[in-house]
Amino acid sequence: MAQLWGGRFTGDTDQDVYRFNASIDFDRRLIEQDIAGSLAHAEMLCRVGILTEEEARAIHDGLTGILCDVRSGSLLITEEYEDVHSFCEAVLTERIGEAGKKLHTGRSRNDQVALDMKLYVRDEIDALQELVQALLRTILTIMKENTRTCMPGFTHLQKAQPVTLAHHAGAYFEMFRRDSERLTDIRRRMNLCPLGSGALAGTTYPLDREFTAEALRFDGPTRNSMDSVSDRDYVIELLSALSTCMMHLSRFSEEIILWNSNEYRFVEIDDAYSTGSSIMPQKKNPDIAELVRGKTGRVYGALMSILTTMKGIPLAYNKDMQEDKELTFDAIDTVKACLRLFTGMLSTIRFNKEVMEESAKKGFTNATDAADYLVSKNVPFRDAHRIVGHLVLTCIERGISLDELSLEEYRKESEAFEEDIYQAISLTTCVEKRCTAGAPGPAVMEEEIRECERFLELCKGGKQDE
Ligand code: ARG
């Protein structure tokens, strides 16, 4: 047992209590952030005259040495330490002596862990952004290649009106665009540095909080020391954004699972992203999509868990907050893996365009257009709706589609029908005429695609909100 406290204790900690209390098992993951924070803190202590140049240099070299050895694997973060902070201070003092014991001047593990967690979340937001943007690029490729690929659009999972594959994919572009914007937004709001808040009430040392904030690439120091050490809003915001992102991935997965089924056959998932059955030789299962859909629950769980943990905590730091780590790490790892695998699956999927088009033709998706045709011939819409409804009924009885009815049959229902009805209800016309902003018409879609490209360009330059 190596711990940073003990002076006021006469008895030893119970072994079981020690293990229950310790966080080294999981906060060892914060080693890079912990050392970055300590480097900035030590440099600042030197600038304000609390550490000598010599001490600061020894601490600097000691800490970079520890990082190097941890990275190479020659130094292990073992369970004999209570947490990653204790580990660093103990090893530093072992290696450089007295100066190591001065590093914690004007600092508490409370502002230290608040800082480590913020640095970690900030790095992970950047990594998540990359992955979301890679997915957006894949979706955009599908959009560009399919502005004229007709397919049925559904409501209530019933064929409704014809759309294009570009338009359908474009709906997901919008969802993941919002996910990306949410990440940008969270990063901006959380980017204030808690270091220098002490345990809860600041410190009596003349700490230069502006300096450490800038050294660690924050926009400035946090404004209230009690809030600084007990704020986990950014974790909650991130887990909420990630839950929404998983909900989007899950919906897309569900569609891919449906589309990949024997009944739909709209897509075929590449062999590399499918699995087989141990008993049924014919099976090729969409396990990746199913797992992404399944793992959504786990990320929602993390959000519920941290919200519940935080709800009854009086100011300021309480040990409950140690519970933020495992679930945040797990949720971030899960979402990153899902984004990576899903993007891989999507970029190798094959779309059976003929099957999609055939399906759009078979499902009366042009019935609204037939009614609109009558409206253009001066028939009131409500009458047009009823007339076309009758025609659809006839078609269903005979197992044919609207374009297979003879003109005679059309005219039996309404004299307003003429030869040009066939042109009016062809799939191509139906899609092309839908040219209001945001509709599937290829011309507006091309415009939309250019806008999506501009968004991704801005993301590349880190200027998403311009
Ligand atoms: N392991 C602790 C956490 O994750 C670090 C902060 C400990 N502070 C304290 N006063 N015990 O929250």
Side-chain angles (χ1 to χ4, degrees), residues 208-222:
D208 185 349
R209 295 194 60 210
E210 295 283 344
F211 175 83
T212 37
E214 200 181 318
L216 294 163
R217 294 183 294 107
F218 283 98
D219 297 330
T222 48

Side-chain angles (χ1 to χ4, degrees), residues 5 21-24 26-27 30 82-85 108-114 232 317-325:
W5 40 274
N21 188 52
S23 52
I24 191 81
F26 43 88
D27 68 15
L30 298 173
E82 181 186 337
D83 54 30
V84 69
H85 326 297
S108 156
R109 276 184 296 167
N110 298 353
D111 58 343
Q112 195 175 356
V113 76
R232 295 294 182 274
Y317 179 84
N318 291 261
K319 197 61 174 257
D320 319 40
M321 286 184 323
Q322 177 165 289
E323 287 297 309
D324 65 350
K325 287 172 200 63

